[in-house]
Amino acid sequence: MINLDKYKGCFLGLAIGDALGAPYEGGPLERLLWKAIGKTRDGKLRYTDDTQMAIDLAESFLHNDAINQDHLAHTFSQSYQWSRGYGPSTSHLLRLIKKGKNWREVNKKKFKTGSFGNGAAMRAPILAMCFPSNTQALIDNVNKSAEITHAHPLGIEGAKLIALATQAAFQGLSSEAILKELHHQCQSTIYKDKITFCTEAVRQSDIKLKEIKRKLGNGIAAPQSCVTAIYFSLKFRDQTFDSMLSQIFSLGGDVDTISSMACAIWGAFHGIKHINNSNITNIENSKKIITLAELLFRKSQAS
Ligand code: 8NA
Ligand code: MG
Ligand code: MG
Ligand code: MG
C-alpha cells in the first residue's frame, strides 16, 4: 500500500543517508574538508549534491506537473554550490548552464558518450514518488531526468534500476519479485550479472562485506554503486535503518550516495515512523523535505 508515511520515509531516508554518510566518504583530505563545511550555522548536518538535486527534481516536477528538461536543467544550475560536493563532470556542466549554455550543447562536453556517474541514480527515488504506479511512465521520465546530466546508457540504466526498486518498495513487493523484475529490466550484462549476484547475496546469511565491495562495488560510477544500494536495502529490509547505515559506513567509497539510495528505498518500504526522530531533526531542511514529500503524495493521489 502506497501512503504518505512511505513518501516521507523515502525522501527523508534519501537526505539522512546522504548527510550522515558524507563524512565517511573518500580519503582523509575529503573527510577533513567535510569536517569544516559539513554543518549548517545552527549545527545541523548539511546534505550534499545527492539531496540538493533530489529537492530540485521534486520542485521542478511540482512546478510543471511533468519532467520538463529545460526547467529541470535550469533548476539544477540555479542551486549548484561547489561546497555540496558535486561530481566533477556535473559541476562543470551546471556551471556552463548557469552561464547561459543550453544543456543539450554541453551535456556531452566532458565525455562524448555522456557521464555514467551515479548522479542520475541518486535522484531517481524522487521519480518513483512522481510516478508511483505506472512503470512505463516512470522509465520514460527516468530517461528524461538522466539525459540532462548523465546521458551515458550505463548512467541511465543505474537510475532506472534505483527508480524501479523504489517504486516496488512503495508497492511492498517481495524482495524475490523485486530482483526478478530488475533482472528482467536490465539491458546490459554488467547490471544483469550484478543483480544475479545480489539475488544470491540477499539469501546468503554469511556473506562478507568485502565480497559485496568486490562484486557489487562502492565507487562513484553508476554500475559500481546502484546495485550495491539495492542490495543493502533488501538485506536490511527486516532490520533497523541505523544497522543498515552502519554497514554502509564500513563499506567505504562513495558512502553518501550509496547510503542515500539505500535509505530512500528502505524508507519507501517502511515509512517515516521507522526512522529515529533524532536522525530526522539532525539534518538540514528536514521540514522542507517533509513538505515536499506531502506535496508529491497529494499530486500522486490527484492524478
Ligand atoms: P560525474 O558525472 O562527474 O561522474 C563521476 C565520475 O565518473 C567522473 O568524474 C569520471 O571520473 C567518471 N565517469 C563518468 N562518466 C564517464 C565516462 N563516460 N568515461 C569515463 N569516466 C567517466 O559525477 P556524478 O554527478 O555522477 O556524481 C558522482 C558522485 O560524485 C556522487 O557520489 C557525488 O556525491 C559526487 N562525489 C563528490 C565528492 C566530493 O566530495 N566532491 C566525492 C565523491 C563523490
Ligand atoms: Mg554527494
Ligand atoms: Mg560527495
Ligand atoms: Mg557521493
Side-chain angles (χ1 to χ4, degrees):
M1 248 308 262
I2 300 174
N3 57 43
L4 176 59
D5 200 57
K6 287 180 161 214
Y7 267 52
K8 291 181 187 172
C10 179
F11 213 147
L12 279 169
L14 187 153
I16 294 166
D18 174 21
L20 268 66
Y24 293 88
E25 182 179 9
L29 267 180
E30 280 159 312
R31 284 176 203 196
L32 210 63
L33 175 70
W34 206 253
K35 250 193 169 157
I37 63 171
K39 284 213 173 149
T40 61
R41 273 195 201 139
D42 56 354
K44 306 277 183 192
L45 291 172
R46 267 185 102 205
Y47 48 70
T48 78
D49 54 334
D50 309 54
T51 307
Q52 185 57 59
M53 295 185 96
I55 289 173
D56 294 341
L57 177 55
E59 290 183 334
S60 180
F61 176 78
L62 289 165
H63 180 81
N64 295 290
D65 203 8
I67 298 301
N68 174 323
Q69 290 180 300
D70 293 334
H71 187 271
L72 183 55
H74 178 76
T75 309
F76 285 152
S77 74
Q78 288 305 300
S79 45
Y80 170 78
Q81 281 179 299
W82 76 267
S83 62
R84 293 221 187 258
Y86 286 71
S89 145
T90 303
S91 280
H92 183 68
L93 173 73
L94 296 184
R95 277 188 269 122
L96 290 174
I97 299 171
K98 210 169 183 173
K99 283 184 186 157
K101 296 275 185 203
N102 187 307
W103 66 269
R104 290 180 179 82
E105 289 161 27
V106 288
N107 70 339
K108 294 183 179 169
K109 207 170 164 73
K110 200 126 185 159
F111 303 113
K112 278 199 179 73
T113 47
S115 172
F116 54 61
N118 55 22
M122 66 202 190
R123 59 182 183 258
I126 304 307
L127 289 162
M129 299 168 79
C130 303
F131 305 95
S133 42
N134 182 336
T135 301
Q136 195 51 52
L138 178 58
I139 293 171
D140 293 345
N141 284 285
V142 166
N143 290 341
K144 281 191 189 174
S145 157
E147 190 191 6
I148 301 166
T149 52
H150 292 76
H152 193 288
L154 291 175
I156 298 175
E157 191 171 352
K160 181 174 91 170
L161 295 178
I162 293 293
L164 289 172
T166 313
Q167 191 188 59
F170 279 134
Q171 293 165 356
L173 302 188
S174 73
S175 300
E176 292 79 38
I178 293 172
L179 287 162
K180 201 172 162 198
E181 174 61 11
L182 294 181
H183 191 267
H184 171 71
Q185 291 281 355
C186 285
Q187 291 140 306
S188 63
T189 47
I190 181 162
Y191 283 110
K192 228 181 220 319
D193 290 350
K194 284 182 188 236
I195 294 289
T196 302
F197 174 79
C198 179
T199 306
E200 278 308 308
V202 166
R203 280 194 210 119
Q204 234 172 296
S205 58
D206 55 350
I207 188 98
K208 298 271 191 305
L209 199 57
K210 68 174 186 211
E211 188 70 355
I212 298 303
K213 182 171 159 181
R214 193 168 70 81
K215 289 277 182 49
L216 298 181
N218 66 345
I220 62 178
Q224 291 297 320
S225 45
C226 293
V227 183
T228 316
I230 292 166
Y231 163 78
F232 280 107
S233 71
L234 298 177
K235 190 74 178 177
F236 286 83
R237 183 172 176 172
D238 300 324
Q239 296 173 58
T240 63
F241 184 85
D242 289 349
S243 64
M244 177 176 70
L245 268 179
S246 73
Q247 272 291 287
I248 301 176
F249 296 165
S250 306
L251 181 76
D254 192 5
V255 174
D256 67 334
T257 302
I258 294 169
S259 59
S260 179
M261 297 189 290
C263 292
I265 300 169
W266 196 100
F269 275 128
H270 299 290
I272 189 176
K273 63 177 177 292
H274 291 277
I275 299 176
N276 281 341
N277 205 37
S278 61
N279 282 333
I280 300 168
T281 52
N282 262 345
I283 61 156
E284 179 187 10
N285 278 337
S286 53
K287 282 191 185 137
K288 173 181 173 165
I289 290 167
I290 291 174
T291 302
L292 285 172
E294 283 168 353
L295 292 171
L296 288 170
F297 182 71
R298 249 186 261 155
K299 200 176 263 299
S300 78
Q301 295 302 293
S303 57

